[in-house]
Amino acid sequence: MEFFKRRCCITLMIVVLGVNFSTAQADITEKELEDHIIFLTSENKLGRYPGGKVNRKIVSYIIRDFKKSGIPAFNRSYKQTFKTKLRVKEGEEPKKEVKTWNVIGLIEGNEPILKNEYIVLGAHYDHLGMGGGPSSKSDNIAIHYGADDNASGTSALLEIAEKLMANKSDLKRSILLVAFGAEEQGLVGSRYFVENSVVPLSQIKLMINMDMVGRLNNENHVYMGGAGTFPGGMELMKELAPPLGLSPIVHAGSVGGSDHVSFYKKDISVLGIHTGGHPQYHTPEDTVEHINFEGQKLVSEYIYNAIMAVAGSDYKMEFIYQD
């Protein structure tokens, strides 16, 4: 009976929220997704390696887009500064630590109590630079463009953020938007975030992470782990998919190896979402020409709808451990 009641509640939320989606003031567009990825993967971004002038330019770009959408900084500054070691192959000389940043925006909810609870939507913006490190799957020292990994997640973050801000009045809970640095160096940015959180960790009710969401396949598969870490998550993510023509592969656990792991280790509910692996992963061939922008738009809408189902209602949230 409890499962039936929850299922009916989820279905009702989808119907009600569907009305809001159709009247959204800002749309997620294929063109803007593409424009973001073209910028992030351009030759002069040199594979978005942590530290230095190029890193600062990328951070400035993300901040400008947040400002353009009317998204304020959290606590007066968009930047959360930290240092990271750079990974090298075994036996190589260590590299110096570099300074890099997480970028944080805030969309405040409207319900007096629930606005003190937060949904984190995150994606890492860094990549592998020129390669040559332990994570590269190629022996070529060349720009690793990282179009899918993870310019796709960063572009989705910016587009979903814009739509959330346009529909801010529908939010009960607040949204923290986080572009993480140094994920490829070992989840460094997300780990720094949870160890130096801008809000009490007990007030973060869900973290949704987008890492490689640009290669939707012909079967329209969207893969995710962690859907069983909050009540009704499996049912919610399955029921949100058919209206968009998506076929989700939903795991209760299988939390995986990206930035959401840092949150899960702090007993925070998570969803790690991606569109699957491919031969271009961590090679110089992960370029914009391979991105399925129509599919990326669908995945972005799917994630937006999931956020609204949780943040736009009094949806019960609690952490559920998964093996």
Side-chain angles (χ1 to χ4, degrees), residues 230-272:
F230 63 99
M234 296 283 289
E235 297 82 20
L236 175 66
M237 299 313 293
K238 289 177 181 178
E239 292 198 19
L240 287 172
L244 293 166
L246 296 173
S247 299
I249 310 298
V250 184
H251 297 282
S254 299
V255 172
S258 187
D259 285 312
H260 53 291
V261 175
S262 300
F263 291 78
Y264 182 71
K265 288 181 176 179
K266 296 294 186 181
D267 294 344
I268 294 169
S269 301
V270 297
L271 279 172

Side-chain angles (χ1 to χ4, degrees), residues 1-2 42 74 79 93 95 178 182 191 194 196 205 253 263 269 292 296 304 306-307 317:
M1 177 62 72
E2 180 63 29
S42 58
F74 189 93
K79 294 193 288 188
E93 286 291 319
K95 295 182 179 180
V178 189
R191 191 167 64 245
V194 298
N196 302 271
K205 298 303 177 182
F263 291 78
S269 301
N292 175 355
Q296 188 189 3
Y304 171 84
I307 293 168
M317 291 299 298

Side-chain angles (χ1 to χ4, degrees), residues 76-91:
R76 293 180 292 185
S77 176
Y78 290 96
K79 294 193 288 188
Q80 184 183 48
T81 306
F82 62 97
K83 290 185 177 181
T84 182
K85 293 180 179 179
L86 299 173
R87 298 172 69 189
V88 297
K89 290 182 178 178
E90 188 175 351

